[in-house]
Amino acid sequence: MIRFEPNNFHFNEPFEELEKIEKLIIHHTSRVNFSALDTHHFHQKERGWSGIGYNYFIEKDGSIIEGRGLHVGAHTYGYNRKTLGICATGDFDIEHPTGAQIQSLIDICHYFMEQYQLQPKDVVGHRELDGFDYTTCPGKLFDMNEFRTMLENIQVGVSKA
Ligand SMILES: [Zn+2]
């Protein structure tokens, strides 16, 4: 079963309510060995945001840390009110996600797809959105089509069960 680890991060501003959830957007940190807490501090101190911008964060060992949770995030400008941003730590331009990270990404996407009636096509990489072709996020080594195929295969497995 999916397990969300609560954070004890301090956010500088109150959370805002999401309008709806129509997509799940996958990100990488684009930094090696950069934890959820590192990201929280980076977004807060360097970017000047309330706190970690991602809704959920996946560590190398696959643990899923709650960031903003089901509140408006700060991860994909123009999309934050209608999407969830899920970030896995790593620089997937130069390293592959761990098996545990892939498993957790599948688990969390599958969970939210069921909750919000989303399809594999609604799970997108940051770079695939209009206006973001300048970024490789979630990394050149992260194949979004392959990932969506994995999600499709899970759906097929579930409907047959
Ligand atoms: Zn991104």
Side-chain angles (χ1 to χ4, degrees), residues 47-116:
R47 294 274 160 91
W49 299 343
S50 171
I52 188 169
Y54 303 114
N55 297 87
Y56 296 91
F57 190 98
I58 299 174
E59 301 283 12
K60 284 278 176 209
D61 67 359
S63 48
I64 302 174
I65 316 293
E66 209 171 11
R68 304 231 184 166
L70 295 174
H71 301 97
V72 175
H75 55 92
T76 310
Y77 186 77
Y79 292 84
N80 294 323
R81 294 182 172 275
K82 296 181 179 179
T83 63
L84 294 178
I86 301 164
C87 181
T89 188
D91 181 351
F92 304 147
D93 280 344
I94 58 168
E95 60 179 337
H96 287 277
T98 66
Q101 283 181 307
I102 292 287
Q103 188 58 55
S104 290
L105 280 166
I106 288 173
D107 290 347
I108 191 171
C109 289
H110 187 238
Y111 175 79
F112 285 123
M113 284 163 64
E114 293 217 313
Q115 295 276 308
Y116 300 105

Side-chain angles (χ1 to χ4, degrees), residues 25-29 54 75-76 87 125-127 135-138:
I25 304 180
I26 309 300
H27 301 267
H28 69 154
T29 56
Y54 303 114
H75 55 92
T76 310
C87 181
H126 186 182
R127 64 172 176 256
T135 179
T136 61
C137 184

Side-chain angles (χ1 to χ4, degrees), residues 125-143:
H126 186 182
R127 64 172 176 256
E128 295 180 295
L129 291 159
D130 284 344
F132 291 95
D133 52 2
Y134 63 83
T135 179
T136 61
C137 184
K140 292 174 192 163
L141 300 176
F142 197 109
D143 185 331

